[in-house]
Amino acid sequence: MSGPPHVIRGSVSLPEAELMWRFSRSSGPGGQHVNTSDSQVELRFDLAGTEALPPVWKERALERLANRLVGGVLTVRASEHRSQWRNRETASVRLAALLAEATAPPPRPRRKTKIPRGINERRLREKKQRAQTKRGRTGRDW
């Protein structure tokens, strides 16, 4: 499948040579020729051995995708479409999205902010006022 390179983010993309494709028969419904066409696609990418990703990204991805890797290889399957070509597209998009998410920089740590004293005092004042109003509603003095 020669098409646009599988861009992860920015100028980093996956070289076609490092992608391993495997095709097999899909399970599930289909029409005539369902038992003869290999429409399920399995796309494998050797994450541990790749040189396409910057070292920092690679480290991050290996750490975050640890539970999905088998021997350092990431596998993505697609079998929702009846055409092999569309399944190939789906699998490559899924792989690129997975790697983009796994290599994203960690979010900035949250900076704690202090609630201004005036706001806190106003909240307590309003709370007291509300309690007073509700206490005034009880009919025990009648």
Side-chain angles (χ1 to χ4, degrees):
M1 179 179 153
S2 67
H6 314 283
V7 177
I8 294 177
R9 196 169 54 252
S11 61
V12 178
S13 58
L14 296 179
E16 187 66 46
E18 290 192 20
L19 300 178
M20 296 165 278
W21 298 92
R22 222 175 94 206
F23 308 102
S24 55
R25 292 186 190 140
S26 277
S27 60
Q32 293 170 323
H33 107 167
V34 69
N35 295 328
T36 56
S37 60
D38 292 342
S39 58
Q40 176 173 294
V41 172
E42 188 178 286
L43 175 57
R44 296 159 58 98
F45 176 65
D46 186 2
L47 187 57
T50 187
E51 293 299 315
L53 300 176
V56 181
W57 285 26
K58 187 171 154 181
E59 213 172 283
R60 226 181 265 156
L62 284 168
E63 195 178 301
R64 291 184 186 168
L65 298 172
N67 58 347
R68 282 201 60 155
L69 300 176
V70 178
V73 176
L74 181 62
T75 307
V76 174
R77 268 198 199 89
S79 60
E80 356 354 319
H81 304 292
R82 280 177 60 177
S83 101
Q84 186 192 98
W85 185 76
R86 283 179 68 188
N87 278 333
R88 284 177 80 138
E89 270 192 346
T90 305
S92 63
V93 165
R94 211 176 278 167
L95 179 73
L98 204 62
L99 286 171
E101 198 178 310
T103 57
R108 280 209 179 120
R110 182 182 171 274
R111 278 178 56 194
K112 286 184 181 174
T113 55
K114 199 163 183 274
I115 298 172
R117 205 167 88 217
I119 288 177
N120 216 5
E121 284 174 356
R122 186 179 72 199
R123 181 181 65 85
L124 292 173
R125 239 195 341 271
E126 285 172 0
K127 203 172 150 123
K128 270 204 178 92
Q129 184 63 51
R130 191 98 186 111
Q132 198 70 40
T133 307
K134 287 187 172 188
R135 201 175 295 129
R137 288 183 189 153
T138 59
R140 52 171 191 251
D141 295 340
W142 291 3

PDB file of all heavy atoms in Angstrom, residues 8-9 60 64 96-105:
ATOM      1  N   ILE A   8       2.698  10.601  12.316  1.00  0.00           N
ATOM      2  CA  ILE A   8       2.304  10.506  13.720  1.00  0.00           C
ATOM      3  C   ILE A   8       2.062  11.911  14.253  1.00  0.00           C
ATOM      4  O   ILE A   8       0.966  12.256  14.644  1.00  0.00           O
ATOM      5  CB  ILE A   8       3.387   9.792  14.551  1.00  0.00           C
ATOM      6  CG1 ILE A   8       3.473   8.351  14.080  1.00  0.00           C
ATOM      7  CG2 ILE A   8       3.061   9.855  16.017  1.00  0.00           C
ATOM      8  CD1 ILE A   8       4.516   7.553  14.750  1.00  0.00           C
ATOM      9  N   ARG A   9       3.091  12.740  14.230  1.00  0.00           N
ATOM     10  CA  ARG A   9       2.929  14.129  14.649  1.00  0.00           C
ATOM     11  C   ARG A   9       4.093  14.918  14.103  1.00  0.00           C
ATOM     12  O   ARG A   9       5.229  14.461  14.142  1.00  0.00           O
ATOM     13  CB  ARG A   9       2.885  14.214  16.182  1.00  0.00           C
ATOM     14  CG  ARG A   9       2.337  15.523  16.690  1.00  0.00           C
ATOM     15  CD  ARG A   9       2.036  15.541  18.175  1.00  0.00           C
ATOM     16  NE  ARG A   9       3.153  15.143  19.012  1.00  0.00           N
ATOM     17  CZ  ARG A   9       3.207  13.994  19.667  1.00  0.00           C
ATOM     18  NH1 ARG A   9       2.229  13.126  19.581  1.00  0.00           N
ATOM     19  NH2 ARG A   9       4.246  13.703  20.402  1.00  0.00           N
ATOM     20  N   ARG A  60       8.809   6.765  25.731  1.00  0.00           N
ATOM     21  CA  ARG A  60       7.472   7.072  26.235  1.00  0.00           C
ATOM     22  C   ARG A  60       6.447   6.053  25.737  1.00  0.00           C
ATOM     23  O   ARG A  60       5.617   5.565  26.497  1.00  0.00           O
ATOM     24  CB  ARG A  60       7.073   8.463  25.715  1.00  0.00           C
ATOM     25  CG  ARG A  60       6.467   9.346  26.768  1.00  0.00           C
ATOM     26  CD  ARG A  60       6.081  10.670  26.177  1.00  0.00           C
ATOM     27  NE  ARG A  60       7.107  11.679  26.346  1.00  0.00           N
ATOM     28  CZ  ARG A  60       7.250  12.752  25.578  1.00  0.00           C
ATOM     29  NH1 ARG A  60       6.460  12.947  24.565  1.00  0.00           N
ATOM     30  NH2 ARG A  60       8.199  13.624  25.811  1.00  0.00           N
ATOM     31  N   ARG A  64       4.133   3.449  27.861  1.00  0.00           N
ATOM     32  CA  ARG A  64       2.672   3.565  27.891  1.00  0.00           C
ATOM     33  C   ARG A  64       1.942   2.398  27.226  1.00  0.00           C
ATOM     34  O   ARG A  64       0.803   2.110  27.567  1.00  0.00           O
ATOM     35  CB  ARG A  64       2.239   4.870  27.212  1.00  0.00           C
ATOM     36  CG  ARG A  64       2.624   6.088  28.016  1.00  0.00           C
ATOM     37  CD  ARG A  64       2.095   7.335  27.373  1.00  0.00           C
ATOM     38  NE  ARG A  64       2.591   8.522  28.058  1.00  0.00           N
ATOM     39  CZ  ARG A  64       2.490   9.743  27.586  1.00  0.00           C
ATOM     40  NH1 ARG A  64       1.923   9.948  26.422  1.00  0.00           N
ATOM     41  NH2 ARG A  64       2.961  10.768  28.248  1.00  0.00           N
ATOM     42  N   ALA A  96      -1.359   4.785  13.693  1.00  0.00           N
ATOM     43  CA  ALA A  96      -0.810   6.143  13.796  1.00  0.00           C
ATOM     44  C   ALA A  96      -1.420   6.881  14.989  1.00  0.00           C
ATOM     45  O   ALA A  96      -0.715   7.564  15.736  1.00  0.00           O
ATOM     46  CB  ALA A  96      -1.061   6.912  12.502  1.00  0.00           C
ATOM     47  N   ALA A  97      -2.737   6.722  15.189  1.00  0.00           N
ATOM     48  CA  ALA A  97      -3.413   7.398  16.306  1.00  0.00           C
ATOM     49  C   ALA A  97      -2.906   6.870  17.643  1.00  0.00           C
ATOM     50  O   ALA A  97      -2.684   7.635  18.588  1.00  0.00           O
ATOM     51  CB  ALA A  97      -4.920   7.199  16.204  1.00  0.00           C
ATOM     52  N   LEU A  98      -2.711   5.557  17.701  1.00  0.00           N
ATOM     53  CA  LEU A  98      -2.234   4.922  18.928  1.00  0.00           C
ATOM     54  C   LEU A  98      -0.839   5.442  19.286  1.00  0.00           C
ATOM     55  O   LEU A  98      -0.570   5.790  20.447  1.00  0.00           O
ATOM     56  CB  LEU A  98      -2.185   3.407  18.706  1.00  0.00           C
ATOM     57  CG  LEU A  98      -2.254   2.499  19.906  1.00  0.00           C
ATOM     58  CD1 LEU A  98      -3.563   2.694  20.640  1.00  0.00           C
ATOM     59  CD2 LEU A  98      -2.126   1.061  19.466  1.00  0.00           C
ATOM     60  N   LEU A  99       0.024   5.516  18.280  1.00  0.00           N
ATOM     61  CA  LEU A  99       1.387   6.002  18.525  1.00  0.00           C
ATOM     62  C   LEU A  99       1.402   7.488  18.842  1.00  0.00           C
ATOM     63  O   LEU A  99       2.184   7.945  19.677  1.00  0.00           O
ATOM     64  CB  LEU A  99       2.282   5.692  17.326  1.00  0.00           C
ATOM     65  CG  LEU A  99       2.673   4.212  17.194  1.00  0.00           C
ATOM     66  CD1 LEU A  99       3.367   3.961  15.883  1.00  0.00           C
ATOM     67  CD2 LEU A  99       3.557   3.770  18.342  1.00  0.00           C
ATOM     68  N   ALA A 100       0.535   8.249  18.197  1.00  0.00           N
ATOM     69  CA  ALA A 100       0.467   9.691  18.474  1.00  0.00           C
ATOM     70  C   ALA A 100       0.080   9.925  19.928  1.00  0.00           C
ATOM     71  O   ALA A 100       0.650  10.774  20.614  1.00  0.00           O
ATOM     72  CB  ALA A 100      -0.542  10.358  17.545  1.00  0.00           C
ATOM     73  N   GLU A 101      -0.893   9.148  20.401  1.00  0.00           N
ATOM     74  CA  GLU A 101      -1.345   9.290  21.784  1.00  0.00           C
ATOM     75  C   GLU A 101      -0.262   8.850  22.763  1.00  0.00           C
ATOM     76  O   GLU A 101      -0.039   9.478  23.790  1.00  0.00           O
ATOM     77  CB  GLU A 101      -2.605   8.443  21.980  1.00  0.00           C
ATOM     78  CG  GLU A 101      -3.400   8.829  23.191  1.00  0.00           C
ATOM     79  CD  GLU A 101      -4.664   8.000  23.337  1.00  0.00           C
ATOM     80  OE1 GLU A 101      -5.408   7.888  22.351  1.00  0.00           O
ATOM     81  OE2 GLU A 101      -4.880   7.464  24.441  1.00  0.00           O
ATOM     82  N   ALA A 102       0.426   7.751  22.411  1.00  0.00           N
ATOM     83  CA  ALA A 102       1.433   7.194  23.315  1.00  0.00           C
ATOM     84  C   ALA A 102       2.697   8.047  23.387  1.00  0.00           C
ATOM     85  O   ALA A 102       3.422   8.011  24.376  1.00  0.00           O
ATOM     86  CB  ALA A 102       1.796   5.786  22.881  1.00  0.00           C
ATOM     87  N   THR A 103       2.972   8.820  22.335  1.00  0.00           N
ATOM     88  CA  THR A 103       4.202   9.617  22.328  1.00  0.00           C
ATOM     89  C   THR A 103       3.959  11.069  22.744  1.00  0.00           C
ATOM     90  O   THR A 103       4.890  11.858  22.794  1.00  0.00           O
ATOM     91  CB  THR A 103       4.854   9.622  20.928  1.00  0.00           C
ATOM     92  OG1 THR A 103       3.906  10.120  19.991  1.00  0.00           O
ATOM     93  CG2 THR A 103       5.303   8.241  20.524  1.00  0.00           C
ATOM     94  N   ALA A 104       2.703  11.417  23.017  1.00  0.00           N
ATOM     95  CA  ALA A 104       2.385  12.794  23.402  1.00  0.00           C
ATOM     96  C   ALA A 104       3.099  13.160  24.707  1.00  0.00           C
ATOM     97  O   ALA A 104       3.243  12.323  25.589  1.00  0.00           O
ATOM     98  CB  ALA A 104       0.878  12.948  23.575  1.00  0.00           C
ATOM     99  N   PRO A 105       3.552  14.404  24.804  1.00  0.00           N
ATOM    100  CA  PRO A 105       4.223  14.808  26.049  1.00  0.00           C
ATOM    101  C   PRO A 105       3.250  14.781  27.220  1.00  0.00           C
ATOM    102  O   PRO A 105       2.053  14.980  27.013  1.00  0.00           O
ATOM    103  CB  PRO A 105       4.686  16.244  25.762  1.00  0.00           C
ATOM    104  CG  PRO A 105       3.850  16.702  24.624  1.00  0.00           C
ATOM    105  CD  PRO A 105       3.479  15.491  23.840  1.00  0.00           C
TER     106      PRO A 105
END
